[in-house]
Each structure stands twice: as structure tokens, then as C-alpha cells.
Amino acid sequence: MADILRMIVVLSALCGLSGFALSYLKMVTAPVIEEQVLTYVQGPAIAGVFTDIDNQPIADRKAFETEKGRVLVFPAMRDGKLVGVALEAKGKGYGGDVGVMVGFNVANDTLAGIGTTTLKETPGLGMRIAEPGFTGQFRGIAAPVGLKSQGGSIDGISGATISSSGAVTAVNLAAEAYKALKHVIRLLKSGKRVLVFPEGSRTPDGEIHDGMGGTGLILSKTKVPVQPLRISGAYEAFPIGARFPRLRPVTVTVGDPIPFTPAE
């Protein structure tokens, strides 16, 4: 009996150490892997969509929080002006997720083009959705898009309908995210007020954290003044993880409007 207990304790300790080691390894390597994906996967895909820009979309990327989660936006600039944005989305393919980088022309909201980022499809069939003969069909058209077999304008790859549908789904998902961002910009330009939480979520510890860069992208397009607000006491009243709110005072402090000039 003692030997069995000793074996259980040893195995439990080994499992615990292994789990800790794997978690630590993931934590350490995650930023490196993300940087590799940005540089060698997403970067080339964006370069294939926007060929005449003078900024570095990867370096200038911005993060937005939407109803469907965090969205990474890659701005395309020319002569200091925003001419397009790129967003990545995924659809279900035959061999797994089909990742697509989708570019949008901000002047008329048409598709600037697409480039594949994740592809595990069948060689000679599904892999052909990365070829210009397929991807070139998306340039200059408006979303949502669809395959001709489904009443749309996109010719699917013969023998690879699932892969083609996955790419179309990814494009339409990116278009939905883009539409949400454009809606915010349109509201501001029409004189409406939009409430934005720059941090993207409630504070996890009661302290103010760095805001996401998406707010700056909206300001660059609208040039509207910002009315700063601070909510004090919300963390004490309803912290993340709490099941019910607590009876605590909550104060909203309103600051003076901050104007932004075109140069800023």
C-alpha cells in the first residue's frame, strides 16, 4: 500500500512539474512565435494586397475590441494618408482553418484584395485558393461575396468547393469586422458621440492600463475632439470574476475636450 501511495505522489509531482514547464515554455515562446507570424506570414500577405504604400502595416498595427472579440487592424498609408486597412479572418476548409488577410479600400469600401495566411488544404486542389487565378477575383469588388454556385460572383476551385467556401467565409467575416469599424467612424463624422473604452475591457486590478491603438486610428480618420472620462470605484463595485455587484460608490469625472489638428 505504501509503495502505491509513493508511486501516486511521484507521478503527481512529475505531472505537476511537466505542466508547469509546458506552461512556462508557452509563455516564453508566445511573443517570439507571434513576431514570426507577423513577419513571415501576415507581412507578405499584406504586401501582396497593398503594393503601393509607404508605411509598415505590421509595425503600425492597431488593436480594436469589438462585440466578437479582439481585432487586429493593419493600416495602409500613402503620402501620410490612410488608403486602406487589412484584417485577418478564418473560415473552415477541408484540412482545417483557412486564414485569409483581407484588404479594404477606405475610399469606397471595396476589397483591395486577399492573401492566404493559413492553409492546410489538399495539394493540387484546395491549395489552389492561394493562386492568383482565385485570389484575383476579389480585387475591386464589394463585400459580402459568394461563390457562383451559391449565387455570387466568385469562381470556386473545381474539386475544392469546401476550401473555396472557407476562403469566402473568411472574407465575409473580415468584412463584418471592417463594417463595425467604419460604423464608428461614420457616426463620429456625422456629429454623433461614441463612447470608447481604450483599454478594451474592465481593469483586472483597479489600475489604469495602456490603451489599445485602435482609438488612434479612429482619431486619424475623424479628427474629432476627445472628451476624457474617468470612472472611479467601478473595480471595487464590480471586479472581474465577481458574480454580483457590491454596494460601493462609483464616480464619473468629466474632463475638458481635447482637440486634434490634422497635423496631429
Side-chain angles (χ1 to χ4, degrees):
M1 185 68 179
D3 292 338
I4 294 176
L5 290 175
R6 188 180 302 108
M7 181 178 65
I8 292 174
V9 171
V10 172
L11 289 176
S12 298
L14 288 175
C15 289
L17 288 173
S18 298
F20 174 78
L22 289 173
S23 298
Y24 179 76
L25 182 63
K26 182 179 180 180
M27 180 183 68
V28 172
T29 59
V32 178
I33 294 174
E34 181 182 7
E35 191 64 31
Q36 294 293 311
V37 171
L38 287 167
T39 303
Y40 298 108
V41 178
Q42 295 175 327
I46 296 171
V49 173
F50 294 108
T51 58
D52 187 24
I53 57 176
D54 51 25
N55 74 310
Q56 299 294 327
I58 294 295
D60 297 336
R61 63 188 182 278
K62 311 294 182 183
F64 286 87
E65 286 293 334
T66 69
E67 294 180 354
K68 296 184 178 182
R70 186 172 182 264
V71 177
L72 205 57
V73 179
F74 302 90
M77 311 287 291
R78 186 186 305 128
D79 299 327
K81 295 181 179 179
L82 183 69
V83 296
V85 296
L87 300 88
E88 185 185 26
K90 295 181 179 180
K92 189 65 176 177
Y94 183 79
D97 287 338
V98 175
V100 181
M101 186 65 71
V102 186
F104 297 90
N105 297 307
V106 298
N108 54 16
D109 298 335
T110 59
L111 296 173
I114 70 169
T116 55
T117 55
T118 305
L119 204 53
K120 302 175 183 177
E121 304 304 279
T122 306
L125 289 175
M127 293 293 287
R128 292 177 58 198
I129 63 174
E131 297 177 356
F134 180 77
T135 60
Q137 300 179 85
F138 294 86
R139 191 175 294 275
I141 65 174
V145 298
L147 297 176
K148 283 187 176 180
S149 60
Q150 301 168 344
S153 62
I154 303 298
D155 281 316
I157 301 296
S158 179
T161 303
I162 296 178
S163 302
S164 303
S165 296
V168 166
T169 298
V171 171
N172 289 332
L173 288 175
E176 290 179 10
Y178 173 73
K179 183 179 179 181
L181 298 179
K182 288 290 291 187
H183 179 63
V184 173
I185 294 173
R186 193 174 295 112
L187 285 175
L188 290 171
K189 285 188 173 181
S190 66
K192 300 290 195 311
R193 294 190 177 188
V194 175
L195 182 63
V196 176
F197 289 88
E199 295 176 67
S201 179
R202 288 181 292 165
T203 173
D205 54 13
E207 300 296 327
I208 296 178
H209 293 264
D210 292 339
M212 294 186 173
T215 306
L217 181 61
I218 293 175
L219 289 175
S220 70
K221 289 293 295 178
T222 60
K223 307 297 189 302
V224 296
V226 174
Q227 181 87 57
L229 304 172
R230 175 165 182 171
I231 304 174
S232 304
Y235 175 76
E236 290 74 14
F238 200 9
I240 294 177
R243 296 184 62 184
F244 301 101
R246 304 165 181 169
L247 292 177
R248 299 288 189 276
V250 178
T251 304
V252 178
T253 304
V254 182
D256 295 328
I258 303 173
F260 288 89
T261 65
E264 296 174 314

PDB file of all heavy atoms in Angstrom, residues 151-180:
ATOM      1  N   GLY A 151     -24.802  31.706 -55.959  1.00  0.00           N
ATOM      2  CA  GLY A 151     -25.398  32.963 -56.400  1.00  0.00           C
ATOM      3  C   GLY A 151     -24.469  34.156 -56.370  1.00  0.00           C
ATOM      4  O   GLY A 151     -24.899  35.285 -56.620  1.00  0.00           O
ATOM      5  N   GLY A 152     -23.185  33.938 -56.065  1.00  0.00           N
ATOM      6  CA  GLY A 152     -22.219  35.034 -56.018  1.00  0.00           C
ATOM      7  C   GLY A 152     -21.459  35.182 -57.321  1.00  0.00           C
ATOM      8  O   GLY A 152     -21.876  34.691 -58.372  1.00  0.00           O
ATOM      9  N   SER A 153     -20.314  35.877 -57.249  1.00  0.00           N
ATOM     10  CA  SER A 153     -19.539  36.167 -58.452  1.00  0.00           C
ATOM     11  C   SER A 153     -18.174  35.476 -58.474  1.00  0.00           C
ATOM     12  O   SER A 153     -17.408  35.659 -59.416  1.00  0.00           O
ATOM     13  CB  SER A 153     -19.327  37.681 -58.572  1.00  0.00           C
ATOM     14  OG  SER A 153     -18.584  38.174 -57.459  1.00  0.00           O
ATOM     15  N   ILE A 154     -17.858  34.697 -57.432  1.00  0.00           N
ATOM     16  CA  ILE A 154     -16.536  34.084 -57.319  1.00  0.00           C
ATOM     17  C   ILE A 154     -16.556  32.658 -57.872  1.00  0.00           C
ATOM     18  O   ILE A 154     -17.369  31.830 -57.464  1.00  0.00           O
ATOM     19  CB  ILE A 154     -16.061  34.055 -55.854  1.00  0.00           C
ATOM     20  CG1 ILE A 154     -16.043  35.480 -55.273  1.00  0.00           C
ATOM     21  CG2 ILE A 154     -14.691  33.414 -55.741  1.00  0.00           C
ATOM     22  CD1 ILE A 154     -15.095  36.429 -55.962  1.00  0.00           C
ATOM     23  N   ASP A 155     -15.664  32.388 -58.820  1.00  0.00           N
ATOM     24  CA  ASP A 155     -15.495  31.029 -59.337  1.00  0.00           C
ATOM     25  C   ASP A 155     -14.707  30.195 -58.322  1.00  0.00           C
ATOM     26  O   ASP A 155     -13.550  30.518 -58.017  1.00  0.00           O
ATOM     27  CB  ASP A 155     -14.729  31.043 -60.669  1.00  0.00           C
ATOM     28  CG  ASP A 155     -15.627  31.431 -61.832  1.00  0.00           C
ATOM     29  OD1 ASP A 155     -16.757  30.931 -61.897  1.00  0.00           O
ATOM     30  OD2 ASP A 155     -15.183  32.231 -62.677  1.00  0.00           O
ATOM     31  N   GLY A 156     -15.315  29.134 -57.811  1.00  0.00           N
ATOM     32  CA  GLY A 156     -14.622  28.262 -56.891  1.00  0.00           C
ATOM     33  C   GLY A 156     -13.626  27.374 -57.624  1.00  0.00           C
ATOM     34  O   GLY A 156     -13.675  27.233 -58.847  1.00  0.00           O
ATOM     35  N   ILE A 157     -12.728  26.795 -56.879  1.00  0.00           N
ATOM     36  CA  ILE A 157     -11.759  25.861 -57.446  1.00  0.00           C
ATOM     37  C   ILE A 157     -12.460  24.525 -57.686  1.00  0.00           C
ATOM     38  O   ILE A 157     -13.065  23.956 -56.776  1.00  0.00           O
ATOM     39  CB  ILE A 157     -10.555  25.662 -56.504  1.00  0.00           C
ATOM     40  CG1 ILE A 157      -9.857  27.004 -56.236  1.00  0.00           C
ATOM     41  CG2 ILE A 157      -9.576  24.655 -57.083  1.00  0.00           C
ATOM     42  CD1 ILE A 157      -9.242  27.645 -57.449  1.00  0.00           C
ATOM     43  N   SER A 158     -12.376  24.022 -58.911  1.00  0.00           N
ATOM     44  CA  SER A 158     -13.007  22.753 -59.248  1.00  0.00           C
ATOM     45  C   SER A 158     -12.438  21.629 -58.381  1.00  0.00           C
ATOM     46  O   SER A 158     -11.229  21.449 -58.288  1.00  0.00           O
ATOM     47  CB  SER A 158     -12.781  22.426 -60.730  1.00  0.00           C
ATOM     48  OG  SER A 158     -13.361  21.180 -61.059  1.00  0.00           O
ATOM     49  N   GLY A 159     -13.324  20.894 -57.728  1.00  0.00           N
ATOM     50  CA  GLY A 159     -12.899  19.804 -56.858  1.00  0.00           C
ATOM     51  C   GLY A 159     -12.495  20.253 -55.471  1.00  0.00           C
ATOM     52  O   GLY A 159     -12.066  19.428 -54.660  1.00  0.00           O
ATOM     53  N   ALA A 160     -12.606  21.539 -55.180  1.00  0.00           N
ATOM     54  CA  ALA A 160     -12.207  22.071 -53.860  1.00  0.00           C
ATOM     55  C   ALA A 160     -13.243  23.084 -53.384  1.00  0.00           C
ATOM     56  O   ALA A 160     -12.913  24.204 -52.990  1.00  0.00           O
ATOM     57  CB  ALA A 160     -10.821  22.698 -53.919  1.00  0.00           C
ATOM     58  N   THR A 161     -14.498  22.664 -53.418  1.00  0.00           N
ATOM     59  CA  THR A 161     -15.580  23.570 -53.023  1.00  0.00           C
ATOM     60  C   THR A 161     -15.480  23.970 -51.560  1.00  0.00           C
ATOM     61  O   THR A 161     -15.724  25.128 -51.196  1.00  0.00           O
ATOM     62  CB  THR A 161     -16.945  22.909 -53.279  1.00  0.00           C
ATOM     63  OG1 THR A 161     -17.046  22.543 -54.655  1.00  0.00           O
ATOM     64  CG2 THR A 161     -18.081  23.860 -52.929  1.00  0.00           C
ATOM     65  N   ILE A 162     -15.107  23.015 -50.696  1.00  0.00           N
ATOM     66  CA  ILE A 162     -15.024  23.323 -49.264  1.00  0.00           C
ATOM     67  C   ILE A 162     -13.927  24.349 -48.995  1.00  0.00           C
ATOM     68  O   ILE A 162     -14.111  25.295 -48.222  1.00  0.00           O
ATOM     69  CB  ILE A 162     -14.772  22.033 -48.455  1.00  0.00           C
ATOM     70  CG1 ILE A 162     -15.955  21.075 -48.604  1.00  0.00           C
ATOM     71  CG2 ILE A 162     -14.537  22.367 -46.981  1.00  0.00           C
ATOM     72  CD1 ILE A 162     -15.767  19.757 -47.883  1.00  0.00           C
ATOM     73  N   SER A 163     -12.791  24.188 -49.641  1.00  0.00           N
ATOM     74  CA  SER A 163     -11.691  25.142 -49.462  1.00  0.00           C
ATOM     75  C   SER A 163     -12.096  26.519 -49.979  1.00  0.00           C
ATOM     76  O   SER A 163     -11.824  27.544 -49.335  1.00  0.00           O
ATOM     77  CB  SER A 163     -10.453  24.647 -50.213  1.00  0.00           C
ATOM     78  OG  SER A 163     -10.067  23.370 -49.766  1.00  0.00           O
ATOM     79  N   SER A 164     -12.752  26.548 -51.141  1.00  0.00           N
ATOM     80  CA  SER A 164     -13.198  27.821 -51.718  1.00  0.00           C
ATOM     81  C   SER A 164     -14.210  28.501 -50.806  1.00  0.00           C
ATOM     82  O   SER A 164     -14.154  29.714 -50.581  1.00  0.00           O
ATOM     83  CB  SER A 164     -13.810  27.587 -53.102  1.00  0.00           C
ATOM     84  OG  SER A 164     -12.905  26.945 -53.961  1.00  0.00           O
ATOM     85  N   SER A 165     -15.135  27.699 -50.251  1.00  0.00           N
ATOM     86  CA  SER A 165     -16.138  28.259 -49.338  1.00  0.00           C
ATOM     87  C   SER A 165     -15.491  28.799 -48.074  1.00  0.00           C
ATOM     88  O   SER A 165     -15.919  29.820 -47.526  1.00  0.00           O
ATOM     89  CB  SER A 165     -17.178  27.192 -48.970  1.00  0.00           C
ATOM     90  OG  SER A 165     -17.905  26.780 -50.105  1.00  0.00           O
ATOM     91  N   GLY A 166     -14.438  28.111 -47.599  1.00  0.00           N
ATOM     92  CA  GLY A 166     -13.734  28.578 -46.409  1.00  0.00           C
ATOM     93  C   GLY A 166     -13.103  29.938 -46.620  1.00  0.00           C
ATOM     94  O   GLY A 166     -13.148  30.811 -45.741  1.00  0.00           O
ATOM     95  N   ALA A 167     -12.518  30.137 -47.810  1.00  0.00           N
ATOM     96  CA  ALA A 167     -11.915  31.429 -48.119  1.00  0.00           C
ATOM     97  C   ALA A 167     -12.976  32.526 -48.203  1.00  0.00           C
ATOM     98  O   ALA A 167     -12.781  33.635 -47.693  1.00  0.00           O
ATOM     99  CB  ALA A 167     -11.146  31.342 -49.435  1.00  0.00           C
ATOM    100  N   VAL A 168     -14.106  32.214 -48.820  1.00  0.00           N
ATOM    101  CA  VAL A 168     -15.201  33.186 -48.937  1.00  0.00           C
ATOM    102  C   VAL A 168     -15.744  33.544 -47.554  1.00  0.00           C
ATOM    103  O   VAL A 168     -16.020  34.714 -47.260  1.00  0.00           O
ATOM    104  CB  VAL A 168     -16.320  32.619 -49.834  1.00  0.00           C
ATOM    105  CG1 VAL A 168     -17.593  33.444 -49.699  1.00  0.00           C
ATOM    106  CG2 VAL A 168     -15.866  32.596 -51.292  1.00  0.00           C
ATOM    107  N   THR A 169     -15.890  32.538 -46.699  1.00  0.00           N
ATOM    108  CA  THR A 169     -16.358  32.794 -45.331  1.00  0.00           C
ATOM    109  C   THR A 169     -15.410  33.728 -44.590  1.00  0.00           C
ATOM    110  O   THR A 169     -15.836  34.662 -43.896  1.00  0.00           O
ATOM    111  CB  THR A 169     -16.481  31.471 -44.553  1.00  0.00           C
ATOM    112  OG1 THR A 169     -17.453  30.637 -45.187  1.00  0.00           O
ATOM    113  CG2 THR A 169     -16.895  31.727 -43.108  1.00  0.00           C
ATOM    114  N   ALA A 170     -14.106  33.488 -44.736  1.00  0.00           N
ATOM    115  CA  ALA A 170     -13.113  34.342 -44.076  1.00  0.00           C
ATOM    116  C   ALA A 170     -13.216  35.782 -44.558  1.00  0.00           C
ATOM    117  O   ALA A 170     -13.149  36.726 -43.762  1.00  0.00           O
ATOM    118  CB  ALA A 170     -11.708  33.800 -44.333  1.00  0.00           C
ATOM    119  N   VAL A 171     -13.395  35.966 -45.862  1.00  0.00           N
ATOM    120  CA  VAL A 171     -13.517  37.313 -46.420  1.00  0.00           C
ATOM    121  C   VAL A 171     -14.744  38.019 -45.844  1.00  0.00           C
ATOM    122  O   VAL A 171     -14.679  39.193 -45.451  1.00  0.00           O
ATOM    123  CB  VAL A 171     -13.609  37.264 -47.963  1.00  0.00           C
ATOM    124  CG1 VAL A 171     -13.962  38.642 -48.525  1.00  0.00           C
ATOM    125  CG2 VAL A 171     -12.286  36.783 -48.551  1.00  0.00           C
ATOM    126  N   ASN A 172     -15.855  37.315 -45.755  1.00  0.00           N
ATOM    127  CA  ASN A 172     -17.077  37.928 -45.238  1.00  0.00           C
ATOM    128  C   ASN A 172     -16.985  38.236 -43.748  1.00  0.00           C
ATOM    129  O   ASN A 172     -17.542  39.235 -43.273  1.00  0.00           O
ATOM    130  CB  ASN A 172     -18.274  37.027 -45.529  1.00  0.00           C
ATOM    131  CG  ASN A 172     -18.646  37.005 -47.007  1.00  0.00           C
ATOM    132  OD1 ASN A 172     -18.397  37.974 -47.729  1.00  0.00           O
ATOM    133  ND2 ASN A 172     -19.217  35.914 -47.461  1.00  0.00           N
ATOM    134  N   LEU A 173     -16.279  37.408 -42.990  1.00  0.00           N
ATOM    135  CA  LEU A 173     -16.071  37.692 -41.567  1.00  0.00           C
ATOM    136  C   LEU A 173     -15.222  38.947 -41.389  1.00  0.00           C
ATOM    137  O   LEU A 173     -15.494  39.790 -40.515  1.00  0.00           O
ATOM    138  CB  LEU A 173     -15.408  36.503 -40.883  1.00  0.00           C
ATOM    139  CG  LEU A 173     -16.283  35.263 -40.669  1.00  0.00           C
ATOM    140  CD1 LEU A 173     -15.461  34.119 -40.102  1.00  0.00           C
ATOM    141  CD2 LEU A 173     -17.451  35.577 -39.735  1.00  0.00           C
ATOM    142  N   ALA A 174     -14.180  39.073 -42.210  1.00  0.00           N
ATOM    143  CA  ALA A 174     -13.345  40.279 -42.148  1.00  0.00           C
ATOM    144  C   ALA A 174     -14.160  41.501 -42.533  1.00  0.00           C
ATOM    145  O   ALA A 174     -13.991  42.586 -41.960  1.00  0.00           O
ATOM    146  CB  ALA A 174     -12.146  40.121 -43.082  1.00  0.00           C
ATOM    147  N   ALA A 175     -15.054  41.345 -43.512  1.00  0.00           N
ATOM    148  CA  ALA A 175     -15.894  42.467 -43.950  1.00  0.00           C
ATOM    149  C   ALA A 175     -16.830  42.922 -42.837  1.00  0.00           C
ATOM    150  O   ALA A 175     -17.094  44.122 -42.684  1.00  0.00           O
ATOM    151  CB  ALA A 175     -16.695  42.066 -45.187  1.00  0.00           C
ATOM    152  N   GLU A 176     -17.322  41.974 -42.039  1.00  0.00           N
ATOM    153  CA  GLU A 176     -18.182  42.340 -40.908  1.00  0.00           C
ATOM    154  C   GLU A 176     -17.411  43.162 -39.879  1.00  0.00           C
ATOM    155  O   GLU A 176     -17.931  44.145 -39.335  1.00  0.00           O
ATOM    156  CB  GLU A 176     -18.746  41.076 -40.261  1.00  0.00           C
ATOM    157  CG  GLU A 176     -19.773  40.341 -41.109  1.00  0.00           C
ATOM    158  CD  GLU A 176     -20.276  39.084 -40.424  1.00  0.00           C
ATOM    159  OE1 GLU A 176     -19.969  38.891 -39.228  1.00  0.00           O
ATOM    160  OE2 GLU A 176     -20.980  38.295 -41.075  1.00  0.00           O
ATOM    161  N   ALA A 177     -16.180  42.745 -39.592  1.00  0.00           N
ATOM    162  CA  ALA A 177     -15.355  43.493 -38.641  1.00  0.00           C
ATOM    163  C   ALA A 177     -15.040  44.885 -39.172  1.00  0.00           C
ATOM    164  O   ALA A 177     -15.080  45.874 -38.438  1.00  0.00           O
ATOM    165  CB  ALA A 177     -14.064  42.726 -38.366  1.00  0.00           C
ATOM    166  N   TYR A 178     -14.730  44.963 -40.466  1.00  0.00           N
ATOM    167  CA  TYR A 178     -14.431  46.256 -41.088  1.00  0.00           C
ATOM    168  C   TYR A 178     -15.660  47.170 -41.043  1.00  0.00           C
ATOM    169  O   TYR A 178     -15.550  48.378 -40.770  1.00  0.00           O
ATOM    170  CB  TYR A 178     -13.991  46.037 -42.526  1.00  0.00           C
ATOM    171  CG  TYR A 178     -13.816  47.310 -43.328  1.00  0.00           C
ATOM    172  CD1 TYR A 178     -12.729  48.153 -43.107  1.00  0.00           C
ATOM    173  CD2 TYR A 178     -14.741  47.665 -44.310  1.00  0.00           C
ATOM    174  CE1 TYR A 178     -12.576  49.322 -43.835  1.00  0.00           C
ATOM    175  CE2 TYR A 178     -14.585  48.828 -45.052  1.00  0.00           C
ATOM    176  CZ  TYR A 178     -13.506  49.654 -44.815  1.00  0.00           C
ATOM    177  OH  TYR A 178     -13.366  50.806 -45.534  1.00  0.00           O
ATOM    178  N   LYS A 179     -16.818  46.604 -41.290  1.00  0.00           N
ATOM    179  CA  LYS A 179     -18.055  47.383 -41.268  1.00  0.00           C
ATOM    180  C   LYS A 179     -18.304  47.972 -39.885  1.00  0.00           C
ATOM    181  O   LYS A 179     -18.755  49.112 -39.751  1.00  0.00           O
ATOM    182  CB  LYS A 179     -19.236  46.494 -41.681  1.00  0.00           C
ATOM    183  CG  LYS A 179     -20.564  47.228 -41.762  1.00  0.00           C
ATOM    184  CD  LYS A 179     -21.669  46.283 -42.211  1.00  0.00           C
ATOM    185  CE  LYS A 179     -23.010  47.002 -42.267  1.00  0.00           C
ATOM    186  NZ  LYS A 179     -24.112  46.075 -42.684  1.00  0.00           N
ATOM    187  N   ALA A 180     -17.989  47.195 -38.838  1.00  0.00           N
ATOM    188  CA  ALA A 180     -18.170  47.691 -37.476  1.00  0.00           C
ATOM    189  C   ALA A 180     -17.258  48.881 -37.204  1.00  0.00           C
ATOM    190  O   ALA A 180     -17.664  49.871 -36.576  1.00  0.00           O
ATOM    191  CB  ALA A 180     -17.902  46.573 -36.474  1.00  0.00           C
TER     192      ALA A 180
END
